[in-house]
């Protein structure tokens, strides 16, 4: 049985801490997507995340921290990394940094790498980590390869019966996973576009962010999780659509109609007013809703590629990629 508790419930934090202390995972809301969180220092707890998700173990996890001290106990910060944390934390930016000598993150969470991915989330999840006192490893709370959850109901649909507890904090504010940035001394490399647009990082640091070649092909050792096919609904996804084919549902943007839309199984608009932030927050939910119509395919209109559009288009390409 999976319990669903609203985060406003008096007993929610205590219930979550109990499950976490027991070395088991809890699904919880963050500002990005719902996470499947467990003690990053406990090998059984981490194993349980991989098993619940069906996630390949070579794909390391992000460790979530409550404050900068907790982060510094785990990884070493260059001055540039400090500046990034000061500017963007708490928030949807993950930094990949060298493990520190005092690190207690278990190698299962880092896939044995000499670096760890670390992030300070905002809101409820951060308070829970502070209460727990140790970092929480937390990938998205969905079965590996599926569309990420942005509501507690999405989590229940995908993982109901497989986990003890889902905390319900409503819809996620950002709706896309964090931006992952490798900070190598003074060098910045984008491992995954996400909730913080690259342009903002370049503006804040005055440094160019290198796009790693692995990003699109997905098989580099530096970012083992950048698998080409991911976020896959059941229906096939067709990108840059300008017209609607038979049996297709439509996901469009900015109120722009596609040719033949009147025959579509369903028409969803990521943001009728053309706002990329709104589009990001709606993306995963609309992919799931389009899929649930039973359409044979999902036709997706072109989405602008600047700002958050880069992350939206990254997720759409993975949703459309050939399945393994
Ligand atoms: P997820 O937990 O599904 O949001 O994915 C976390 C992503 O972070 C995965 O794609 C990993 O490949 C990536 N990641 C985690 N740790 C590292 C690391 N030490 N170096 C590079 N990438 C990492
Ligand atoms: Mg995920």
């Amino acid at each position: 049985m999976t319990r669903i508790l609203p985060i406003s419930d008096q007993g929610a934090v205590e219930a979550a801490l109990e499950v976490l202390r027991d070395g088991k995972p809890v699904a919880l809301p963050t500002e990005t997507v719902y996470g499947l969180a467990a003690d990053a220092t406990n090998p059984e707890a981490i194993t349980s995340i991989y098993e619940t998700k069906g996630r390949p173990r070579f794909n390391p996890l992000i460790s979530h921290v409550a404050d900068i001290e907790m982060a510094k106990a785990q990884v070493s910060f260059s001055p540039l990394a400090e500046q990034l944390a000061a500017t963007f934390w708490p928030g949807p930016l993950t930094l990949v940094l060298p493990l520190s000598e005092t690190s207690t993150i278990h190698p299962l969470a880092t896939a044995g790498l000499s670096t760890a991915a670390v992030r300070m989330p905002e809101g409820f999840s951060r308070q829970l980590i502070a209460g727990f006192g140790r970092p929480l490893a937390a990938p998205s709370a969905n079965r590996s390869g599926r569309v990420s959850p942005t509501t507690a109901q999405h989590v229940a649909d995908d993982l109901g019966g497989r986990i003890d507890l889902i905390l319900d904090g409503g819809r996620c504010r950002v709706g896309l996973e964090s931006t992952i940035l490798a900070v190598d001394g003074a060098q910045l490399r984008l491992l995954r576009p996400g909730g913080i647009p690259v342009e903002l990082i370049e503006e804040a640091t005055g440094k160019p962010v290198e796009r790693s070649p692995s990003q699109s092909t997905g098989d580099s050792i530096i970012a083992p999780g950048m698998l080409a096919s991911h976020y896959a609904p059941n229906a096939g996804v067709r990108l840059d659509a300008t017209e609607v084919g038979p049996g297709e549902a439509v996901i469009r943007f900015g109120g722009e109609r596609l040719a033949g839309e009147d025959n579509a199984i369903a028409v969803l608009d990521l943001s009728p007013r053309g706002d990329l932030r709104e589009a990001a927050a709606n993306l995963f939910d609309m992919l799931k809703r389009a899929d649930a119509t039973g359409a044979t395919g999902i036709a997706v209109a072109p989405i602008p590629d600047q700002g958050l559009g880069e992350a939206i288009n990254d997720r759409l390409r993975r949703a459309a990629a050939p399945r393994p």
Side-chain angles (χ1 to χ4, degrees):
M1 257 291 285
T2 303
R3 266 185 308 162
I4 304 183
L5 277 182
I7 58 171
S8 56
D9 194 292
Q10 287 250 315
V13 168
E14 205 35 59
L17 290 176
E18 208 171 288
V19 179
L20 292 171
R21 288 191 196 113
D22 209 21
K24 291 194 285 192
V26 171
L28 47 79
T30 78
E31 77 277 39
T32 58
V33 300
Y34 274 74
L36 187 65
D39 186 347
T41 69
N42 175 340
E44 283 86 32
I46 301 162
T47 299
S48 167
I49 292 180
Y50 284 110
E51 280 172 357
T52 304
K53 282 180 64 77
R55 177 170 170 127
R57 284 166 206 239
F58 58 78
N59 188 359
L61 306 173
I62 297 171
S63 293
H64 294 72
V65 296
D67 50 48
I68 195 76
E69 288 70 37
M70 195 184 276
K72 284 187 174 171
Q74 302 297 341
V75 284
S76 23
F77 283 73
S78 63
L80 182 58
E82 293 240 18
Q83 189 200 349
L84 285 161
T87 309
F88 294 107
W89 282 2
L93 177 67
T94 294
L95 301 175
V96 172
L97 298 171
L99 282 170
S100 69
E101 274 170 24
T102 56
S103 174
T104 52
I105 296 175
H106 195 274
L108 275 172
T110 59
L113 298 169
S114 59
T115 53
V118 179
R119 177 170 101 83
M120 186 196 297
E122 63 188 43
F124 173 82
S125 53
R126 184 178 172 205
Q127 288 163 31
L128 186 69
I129 300 163
F132 188 56
R134 289 197 286 275
L136 293 180
S140 53
N142 55 277
R143 283 193 253 171
S144 191
R146 301 269 186 98
V147 179
S148 303
T150 53
T151 66
Q153 189 57 50
H154 292 162
V155 180
D157 292 345
D158 205 21
L159 296 181
R162 300 167 73 111
I163 53 179
D164 289 353
L165 180 62
I166 301 172
L167 295 176
D168 186 351
R171 285 169 66 95
C172 300
R173 180 179 71 78
V174 177
L176 288 177
E177 296 83 351
S178 58
T179 300
I180 305 183
L181 199 61
V183 186
D184 197 354
Q187 252 195 339
L188 300 178
R189 211 152 19 96
L190 181 70
L191 300 182
R192 173 177 77 186
I196 298 281
V198 172
E199 292 91 327
L200 283 187
I201 296 169
E202 294 187 323
E203 227 171 83
T205 59
K207 290 193 182 301
V209 173
E210 190 188 314
R211 260 83 167 173
S212 94
S214 65
Q215 216 182 292
S216 47
T217 54
D219 48 15
S220 153
I221 201 122
I222 347 163
M226 305 291 118
L227 305 173
S229 171
H230 212 87
Y231 311 103
N234 292 312
V237 175
R238 189 165 67 81
L239 302 183
D240 295 321
T242 51
E243 85 300 314
V244 184
E248 281 186 326
V250 172
I251 295 182
R252 67 180 192 192
F253 177 78
E256 297 211 20
R257 292 175 57 85
L258 273 68
E261 223 183 61
D262 292 341
N263 299 320
I265 303 291
V267 178
L268 299 166
D269 199 318
L270 290 170
S271 171
R273 59 191 156 98
D275 175 352
L276 286 167
R277 262 186 298 183
E278 182 181 34
N282 282 330
L283 178 67
F284 291 143
D285 183 57
M286 288 192 174
L287 276 172
K288 285 170 185 284
R289 277 161 54 194
D291 208 20
T293 63
T296 53
I298 304 173
V300 185
I303 313 292
D305 206 37
Q306 335 76 22
L308 281 177
E310 183 176 3
I312 294 173
N313 284 318
D314 170 80
R315 303 305 185 270
L316 285 170
R317 273 194 300 277
R318 290 178 209 278
R323 316 287 161 84

